[in-house]
């Protein structure tokens, strides 16, 4: 792993500090942290059966534009069946409760990125054993947002540079938290949490390395797509589906995502459900981005 110096503390839901700001997060540091956890993964529970998560997922599936992607009952049941097989440590479920109460967008985002990643993995992985092994990474990609103040997560005005750095802290924080809870720094969930803002051209963060893992990239495209479709504090209205797909296509044109990911997402949006390899992606940009979107704008302190 590329070593990184923490810009802020990493702490648990009960405010127990795991690693302080200023620490260089090396493999040795993470392994030392894991060794302090008496029983990692001792108590794990089905993610989808916790509280009202399954009912909420079904509700979210019925909303535009997911009502097209999840319109096929048999396909949706297959996605839910895979999601139900994923168990997570109880502290992660407690964190879901925290976001449901304090930042509903993030709570919803956890669920929808997990669901869409599972659906796309069914298309992109031919071996069903691989699918079951890989989709476990889905429900925890943004866990590190626990370590970002709510006033930053929910800010409606442009972020300052220091606030932006605090927000970006969630990627490495999620890696540390999941390594600790799962007792394994090489667990795919931990890797996805760390790398879901990386890009194929190495233009992302926190490490600025090229995307190489297929499942990580599935989560990346699911994360971007849901963020565009969802209500966000920093814009009044969401992207229309056509415009969201245009944005993701542009990312592929710039080398930030692979074309097969874009093909799989576009195929999932088509009613005839073509195989992704046979899906032609239009390069014509017909959508219009929403007005008053301050995402990515940095202002002076």
């Amino acid at each position: 792993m590329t070593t990184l110096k923490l810009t802020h503390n990493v702490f648990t839901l009960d405010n127990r500090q795991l690693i302080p700001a200023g620490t260089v997060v090396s493999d040795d540091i993470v392994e030392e942290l894991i060794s302090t956890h008496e029983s990692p993964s001792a108590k794990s529970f089905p993610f989808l059966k916790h509280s009202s998560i399954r009912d909420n997922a079904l509700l979210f599936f019925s909303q535009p534009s997911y009502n097209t992607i999840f319109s096929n009952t048999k396909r949706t049941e297959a996605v839910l069946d895979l999601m139900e097989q994923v168990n997570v440590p109880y502290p992660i479920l407690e964190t879901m409760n925290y976001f449901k109460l304090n930042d509903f967008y993030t709570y919803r985002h956890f669920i929808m990125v997990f669901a869409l990643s599972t659906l796309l993995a069914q298309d992109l992985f031919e071996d069903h054993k691989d699918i079951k092994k890989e989709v476990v990474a889905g429900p925890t990609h943004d866990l590190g947002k626990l370590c970002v103040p709510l006033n930053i997560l929910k800010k409606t005005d442009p972020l300052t540079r220091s606030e932006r750095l605090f927000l970006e802290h969630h990627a490495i924080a999620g890696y540390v938290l999941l390594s600790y809870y799962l007792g394994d720094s090489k667990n795919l969930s931990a890797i996805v949490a760390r790398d879901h803002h990386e890009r194929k051209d190495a233009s992302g963060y926190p490490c600025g390395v090229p995307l190489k893992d297929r499942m990580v990239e599935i989560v990346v495209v699911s994360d971007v797509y849901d963020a565009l479709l969802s209500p966000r504090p920093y814009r009044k209205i969401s992207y229309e589906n056509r415009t969201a797909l245009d944005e993701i296509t542009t990312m592929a044109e710039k080398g930030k995502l692979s074309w097969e990911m874009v093909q799989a997402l576009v195929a999932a949006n088509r009613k005839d459900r073509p195989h992704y390899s046979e899906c032609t992606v239009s390069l014509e940009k017909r959508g219009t981005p929403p007005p008053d979107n301050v995402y990515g704008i940095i202002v002076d302190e």
Side-chain angles (χ1 to χ4, degrees), residues 10-179:
V10 177
F11 52 85
T12 61
L13 185 60
D14 58 1
N15 288 316
R16 184 161 44 89
Q17 181 175 280
L18 296 183
I19 303 181
T23 303
V24 174
V25 182
S26 63
D27 291 340
D28 289 343
I29 288 291
V30 176
E31 293 306 316
E32 182 180 344
L33 173 66
I34 291 171
S35 70
T36 67
H37 197 186
E38 294 180 358
S39 54
S41 301
K43 293 183 179 181
S44 293
F45 301 89
F47 178 83
L48 207 62
K49 293 182 179 180
H50 176 69
S51 185
S52 58
I53 289 178
R54 192 182 196 280
D55 289 341
N56 290 149
L58 290 171
L59 173 63
F60 302 149
F61 290 176
S62 70
Q63 298 170 344
S65 294
Y66 287 113
N67 58 349
T68 298
I69 293 175
F70 291 100
S71 61
N72 184 296
T73 302
K74 185 176 180 180
R75 184 177 175 84
T76 301
E77 288 176 352
V79 169
L80 289 169
D81 179 63
L82 277 170
M83 292 172 70
E84 285 177 348
Q85 297 178 48
V86 173
N87 293 341
V88 298
Y90 191 68
I92 293 174
L93 299 178
E94 290 182 316
T95 304
M96 290 294 294
N97 295 340
Y98 165 82
F99 282 116
K100 186 176 182 179
L101 289 172
N102 296 289
D103 182 8
F104 193 78
Y105 159 73
T106 297
Y107 167 78
R108 178 196 170 283
H109 187 59
F110 269 111
I111 295 171
M112 292 314 298
V113 171
F114 182 24
L116 184 57
S117 297
T118 303
L119 182 142
L120 295 180
Q122 287 183 307
D123 293 337
L124 289 160
F125 288 100
E126 295 183 2
D127 191 325
H128 284 268
K129 291 182 180 179
D130 282 345
I131 296 172
K132 291 179 180 180
K133 180 180 67 176
E134 302 287 359
V135 297
V136 69
T140 52
H141 77 292
D142 264 347
L143 190 74
K145 285 186 175 178
L146 172 65
C147 299
V148 179
L150 288 170
N151 66 303
I152 293 179
L153 293 178
K154 301 168 78 169
K155 190 176 182 183
T156 58
D157 298 324
L159 298 177
T160 64
R161 192 165 303 279
S162 61
E163 288 171 336
R164 178 70 190 185
L165 286 174
F166 213 144
L167 179 62
E168 292 182 358
H169 169 65
H170 83 274
I172 192 67
Y175 167 73
V176 171
L177 285 165
L178 285 162
S179 296

